[in-house]
């Protein structure tokens, strides 16, 4: 996430910038990680490659919040989360959404978690209609007594 936020703020999405950013962030914040973290790099590179399609999808499910109005953190979280939902079908929808909601709560403002949850849940159920919504989100009829 830090790599994509940095690239967004700099406006430079070159492969060299991606690699330089990964190298710096790993050295400074996660030296215990192996030199090459394929999963993280695949998320960043895949998100950059499919950004136009991802942003179109986000706009569809959050039309009152154009991409340009989102904070860099919220935009990046929605983009990576959407990319994961589109490309990592073996990972359950709820796992992806919950992970990005937790990150939004950690790095976003006080409403980021709810916003990310709503948008990614809707995108996820659009992309994966066969996966059931969590019980708390299902509408149930009240039983008459």
């Amino acid at each position: 996430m830090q790599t994509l936020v940095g690239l967004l703020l700099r406006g430079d999405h070159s492969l060299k910038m991606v690699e330089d950013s990964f190298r710096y962030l790993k050295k400074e914040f996660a030296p215990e990680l192996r030199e090459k973290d394929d999963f993280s790099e695949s998320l960043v590179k895949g998100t950059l490659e499919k950004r136009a399609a991802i942003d179109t999808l986000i706009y569809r499910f959050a039309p009152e919040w154009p991409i340009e109005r989102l904070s860099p953190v919220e935009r990046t979280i929605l983009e990576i989360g959407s990319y994961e939902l589109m490309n990592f079908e073996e990972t359950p929808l709820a796992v992806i959404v919950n992970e990005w909601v937790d990150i939004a709560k950690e790095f976003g403002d006080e409403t980021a978690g709810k916003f990310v949850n709503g948008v990614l849940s809707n995108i996820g159920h659009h992309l994966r209609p066969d996966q059931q919504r969590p019980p708390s989100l299902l509408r149930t009829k009240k039983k008459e007594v």
Side-chain angles (χ1 to χ4, degrees):
M1 183 190 81
Q2 290 172 311
T3 297
L4 280 176
V5 169
L7 295 174
L8 185 62
L9 292 173
R10 285 186 199 100
D12 182 354
H13 303 141
S14 67
L15 183 58
K16 180 179 179 352
M17 186 60 76
V18 170
E19 290 170 355
D20 288 350
S21 180
F22 266 109
R23 193 171 22 262
Y24 170 76
L25 291 169
K26 284 181 185 179
K27 180 181 173 189
E28 289 298 314
F29 302 107
E32 71 280 359
L33 289 179
R34 57 194 164 114
E35 182 60 30
K36 183 114 173 120
D37 181 3
D38 293 332
F39 180 70
S40 296
E41 287 191 40
S42 73
L43 284 179
V44 170
K45 290 176 181 176
T47 300
L48 288 172
E49 288 171 9
K50 296 186 178 187
R51 180 172 261 165
I54 291 168
D55 287 351
T56 298
L57 191 61
I58 292 169
Y59 178 75
R60 179 176 174 192
F61 290 95
E64 64 282 353
W65 289 97
I67 294 294
E68 309 79 45
R69 287 188 49 206
L70 295 174
S71 75
V73 169
E74 289 172 349
R75 176 181 177 171
T76 300
I77 288 170
L78 290 175
E79 288 176 339
I80 300 172
S82 296
Y83 177 79
E84 272 194 271
L85 289 166
M86 294 166 70
N87 295 285
F88 293 89
E89 293 179 11
E90 68 281 1
T91 306
L93 183 153
V95 171
I96 293 170
V97 171
N98 288 337
E99 181 68 25
W100 289 107
V101 166
D102 288 345
I103 292 169
K105 288 178 181 177
E106 178 81 18
F107 294 99
D109 66 22
E110 64 276 353
T111 63
K114 288 181 182 180
F115 177 69
V116 166
N117 183 47
V119 176
L120 285 183
S121 291
N122 287 326
I123 289 172
H125 291 295
H126 168 73
L127 296 172
R128 302 175 180 194
D130 56 316
Q131 291 190 19
Q132 185 177 6
R133 292 184 184 269
S136 63
L137 297 178
L138 292 175
R139 290 187 175 166
T140 56
K141 291 184 178 180
K142 291 185 178 182
K143 292 183 181 180
E144 293 188 33
V145 182

